[in-house]
């Protein structure tokens, strides 16, 4: 059972599920009016903290219908807002003022194209909503080579675990439903019933007798 279920899980992950590819872009958030291109500037810890708190706000702006519809238009793709919002994910990088935008789809080229389009559209949308904000692209997305899902190894391991559980459950159920009395020891141990007589297993005894006689006959012939 374990091998069968693991084989089914492997086949499902390998041949049925569609591979997914993720492309990522990094965006820097700043709420200061300081020009980073100058030679003398300083950024206070309060400004960094404020920038980190703004990351969540910027992620909300990213997933608005206005922003993603603009991304669809500029990218020239045939997607709806509901389809694209399911493909886009964003999170802060190690609690810094940099956040990562990830686009996942079944096409590596499409994932990279959409991620880079978001990197172009998002700064404009944020500057129109949040006063004094500054958003800069740290790293553009590249076309991914390796898929992010499904993991054939994980599916196969899960199949082995499920198969093992099914096997154990089958053994327990079979043992619980088995009401066949096979020997006198079962009656003595479970019911404490005195045994008056035992019906011999004639098939086994006849077979053993036949083997004994055949062996004896062959020995006699060799002796002659």
């Amino acid at each position: 059972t374990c091998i069968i279920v693991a084989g089914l899980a492997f086949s499902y992950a390998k041949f049925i599920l569609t591979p997914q590819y993720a492309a990522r872009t990094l965006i820097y958030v700043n709420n200061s009016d300081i020009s980073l291109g100058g030679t003398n500037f300083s950024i206070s810890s309060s400004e960094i903290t404020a920038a980190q708190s703004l990351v969540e706000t910027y992620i909300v702006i990213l997933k608005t219908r206005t922003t993603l519809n603009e991304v669809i238009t500029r990218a020239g793709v045939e997607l709806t807002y509901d389809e694209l919002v399911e493909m886009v994910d964003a999170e802060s990088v190690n609690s810094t003022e940099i956040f990562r935008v990830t686009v996942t789809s079944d096409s590596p080229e499409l994932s990279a194209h959409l991620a880079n389009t978001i990197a172009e559209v998002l700064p404009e949308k944020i500057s129109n909503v949040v006063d004094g904000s500054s958003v800069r692209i740290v790293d553009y997305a590249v076309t991914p080579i390796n898929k992010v899902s499904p993991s054939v190894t994980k599916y196969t391991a899960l199949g082995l675990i499920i198969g093992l559980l099914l096997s154990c459950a089958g053994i327990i159920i079979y043992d619980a439903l088995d009401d066949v009395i096979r020997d006198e020891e079962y009656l003595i141990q479970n019911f404490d019933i005195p045994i008056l007589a035992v019906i011999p297993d004639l098939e086994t005894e006849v077979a053993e007798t036949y083997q004994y006689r055949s062996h004896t006959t062959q020995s006699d012939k060799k002796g002659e």
Side-chain angles (χ1 to χ4, degrees):
T1 303
C2 293
I3 302 300
I4 294 175
V5 177
L8 292 175
F10 172 84
S11 301
Y12 180 72
K14 185 72 174 178
F15 304 109
I16 297 179
L17 290 179
T18 303
Q20 299 293 309
Y21 299 87
R24 300 173 177 87
T25 182
L26 294 177
I27 299 176
Y28 171 77
V29 176
N30 181 27
N31 70 326
S32 174
D33 292 331
I34 297 173
S35 174
L36 298 180
T39 56
N40 295 321
F41 63 89
S42 62
I43 301 178
S44 65
S45 59
S46 61
E47 290 173 336
I48 294 177
T49 302
Q52 292 174 355
S53 64
L54 281 173
V55 168
E56 295 299 325
T57 303
Y58 293 165
I59 291 175
V60 173
I61 296 174
L62 163 64
K63 293 192 174 184
T64 59
R65 188 176 299 273
T66 302
T67 302
L68 293 184
N69 282 340
E70 179 66 22
V71 171
I72 293 172
T73 301
R74 289 202 189 184
V77 295
E78 295 182 357
L79 292 172
T80 64
Y81 165 77
D82 293 329
E83 291 172 339
L84 182 55
V85 75
E86 292 295 328
M87 299 164 59
V88 177
D89 189 24
E91 60 182 352
S92 174
V93 179
N94 298 326
S95 300
T96 63
E97 60 270 28
I98 295 177
F99 70 100
R100 181 191 298 112
V101 178
T102 304
V103 179
T104 305
S105 73
D106 57 2
S107 169
E109 293 80 11
L110 177 62
S111 296
H113 180 49
L114 289 173
N116 287 328
T117 305
I118 289 174
E120 296 174 359
V121 172
L122 188 58
E124 301 175 7
K125 295 296 181 181
I126 290 177
S127 61
N128 291 334
V129 176
V130 182
D131 293 332
S133 64
S134 174
V135 180
R136 302 193 179 207
I137 308 303
V138 177
D139 195 12
Y140 283 95
V142 296
T143 303
I145 299 176
N146 300 318
K147 64 180 181 181
V148 294
S149 67
S151 175
V152 176
T153 303
K154 290 182 179 180
Y155 271 84
T156 304
L158 182 61
L160 282 173
I161 295 173
I162 294 176
L164 179 61
L165 293 176
L166 290 176
S167 298
C168 293
I171 293 173
I172 293 173
I173 294 174
Y174 177 79
D175 186 66
L177 298 178
D178 185 15
D179 57 356
V180 177
I181 300 175
R182 293 180 171 81
D183 52 34
E184 64 273 14
E185 294 295 331
Y186 178 84
L187 294 175
I188 296 173
Q189 293 176 1
N190 293 276
F191 301 101
D192 192 22
I193 298 176
I195 306 300
L196 301 178
V198 177
I199 300 175
D201 188 349
L202 298 178
E203 293 183 359
T204 303
E205 291 187 2
V206 169
E208 291 178 352
T209 304
Y210 175 77
Q211 292 177 359
Y212 172 76
R213 290 179 178 177
S214 298
H215 178 72
T216 303
T217 303
Q218 291 176 1
S219 299
D220 294 341
K221 289 182 179 179
K222 288 182 180 179
E224 294 176 358

